[in-house]
């Protein structure tokens, strides 16, 4: 058990080092950080609540893009260089290898997402104007605690999207295939599922009563709903329509567990298929 854990930690350390040393990924990280800081600057003077709402929609796009950049070659790269075959000779299990890759890449990615959000959050007291806006309702509604909830939910959303990206990396046989699947994933998360539900609602296929539960099928919608219910809650004295919090949380859990299960299932068979 200890040897297995040591191997997983070694894989995680290797994945983390590869992520933070990549110039391309550092450029992506810099672009993400600059974008978040730019949004924070444009919402200066409005408080934590306004910052959370201003960052919510951009994060639904930025997180999938950055997660794909970090994870789409996480396993495929080892397969192409033959390092995956070498690792197998050290009796690393499927779960141990995938878990290590996911943990190492996840630590780097969550560190970037959470670190940037916390940094811009620290600037809010210095940028907030004396004149309140329509979002600065009261101290309870616009507190740092709500923003911390937003940051935590952003970290969970990041881990879910990274899990899906690692699954793609485990299933893909070539870089071209990985890129195509990664592009499809981003499109599906950002536009596909929500657009399909809206079209279904307009066409009468989806009822309004079932819409809340169906929105939980999309990680983006589930993340949005959890943020609105726990980090926003009330705007202008009115409750925010955020769907079912339990369904949203369960939807994220299913995506996370399902994606990692696919990654564990495909990591060795994909190699065997290429060899034969």
């Amino acid at each position: 058990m200890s040897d297995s854990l040591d191997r997983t930690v070694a894989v995680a350390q290797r994945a983390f080092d590869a992520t933070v040393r990549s110039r391309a990924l550092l450029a992506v990280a810099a672009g993400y950080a600059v974008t978040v800081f730019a949004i924070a600057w444009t919402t200066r003077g409005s408080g934590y609540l306004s910052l959370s709402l201003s960052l919510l929609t951009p994060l639904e796009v930025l997180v999938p893009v950055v997660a794909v950049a970090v994870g789409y070659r996480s396993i495929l790269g080892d397969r192409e260089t033959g390092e995956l075959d070498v690792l197998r000779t050290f009796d690393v299990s499927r779960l141990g290898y995938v878990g290590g890759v996911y943990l190492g890449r996840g630590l780097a990615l969550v560190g970037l997402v959470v670190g940037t959000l916390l940094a811009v959050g620290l600037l809010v007291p210095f940028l907030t104007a004396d004149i309140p806006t329509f979002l600065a309702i009261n101290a309870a509604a616009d507190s740092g605690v709500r923003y911390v909830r937003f940051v935590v939910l952003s970290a969970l959303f990041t881990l879910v999207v990274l899990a899906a990206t690692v699954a793609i990396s485990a299933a893909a046989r070539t870089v071209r295939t990985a890129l195509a699947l990664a592009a499809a994933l981003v499109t599906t998360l950002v536009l596909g599922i929500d657009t399909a539900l809206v079209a279904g609602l307009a066409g009468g296929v989806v009822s309004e009563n079932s819409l809340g539960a169906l929105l939980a099928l999309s990680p983006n919608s589930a993340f949005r709903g959890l943020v609105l219910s726990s980090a926003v809650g009330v705007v202008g004295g009115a409750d925010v329509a955020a769907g079912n919090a339990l369904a949203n949380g369960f939807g994220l859990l299913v995506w996370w567990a399902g994606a990692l299960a696919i990654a564990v299932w495909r990591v060795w068979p994909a190699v065997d298929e290429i060899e034969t």
Side-chain angles (χ1 to χ4, degrees), residues 32-110:
Y32 163 80
V34 168
T35 302
V36 172
F37 272 95
I39 295 172
W41 178 257
T42 60
T43 58
R44 64 189 186 278
S46 301
Y48 293 108
L49 183 59
S50 176
L51 179 60
S52 298
L53 290 172
S54 298
L55 289 174
L56 178 57
T57 299
L59 281 183
E60 291 182 37
V61 179
L62 290 173
V63 167
V65 170
V66 177
V68 162
V70 169
Y72 88 98
R73 294 194 65 176
S74 55
I75 293 176
L76 179 61
D78 287 345
R79 180 178 298 127
E80 288 184 317
T81 60
E83 293 181 47
L84 192 53
D85 291 329
V86 175
L87 289 172
R88 291 180 66 182
T89 64
F90 288 95
D91 196 27
V92 180
S93 66
R94 296 183 185 185
L95 181 60
Y97 172 72
V98 172
V101 170
Y102 179 71
L103 178 60
R105 300 269 176 170
L107 286 174
L109 182 59
V110 170

Side-chain angles (χ1 to χ4, degrees), residues 203-228:
V205 178
V206 176
S207 66
E208 293 186 8
N209 293 332
S210 63
L211 183 60
L214 291 175
L215 284 173
L217 297 175
S218 166
N220 285 48
S221 296
F223 164 62
R224 187 188 316 127
L226 288 173
V227 169
L228 292 177

Side-chain angles (χ1 to χ4, degrees), residues 76 79-80 84-85 88 94 167-174 177 181 262-276:
L76 179 61
R79 180 178 298 127
E80 288 184 317
L84 192 53
D85 291 329
R88 291 180 66 182
R94 296 183 185 185
I168 287 174
S169 188
R173 302 182 183 181
T174 64
T177 301
L181 291 175
I262 291 173
V264 171
W265 170 51
R266 290 297 299 169
V267 63
W268 290 163
V271 177
D272 296 337
E273 291 167 8
I274 293 174
E275 291 175 347
T276 56

Side-chain angles (χ1 to χ4, degrees), residues 45-46 128-134 136:
S46 301
T128 302
D130 294 332
I131 301 176
T133 66
F134 70 98

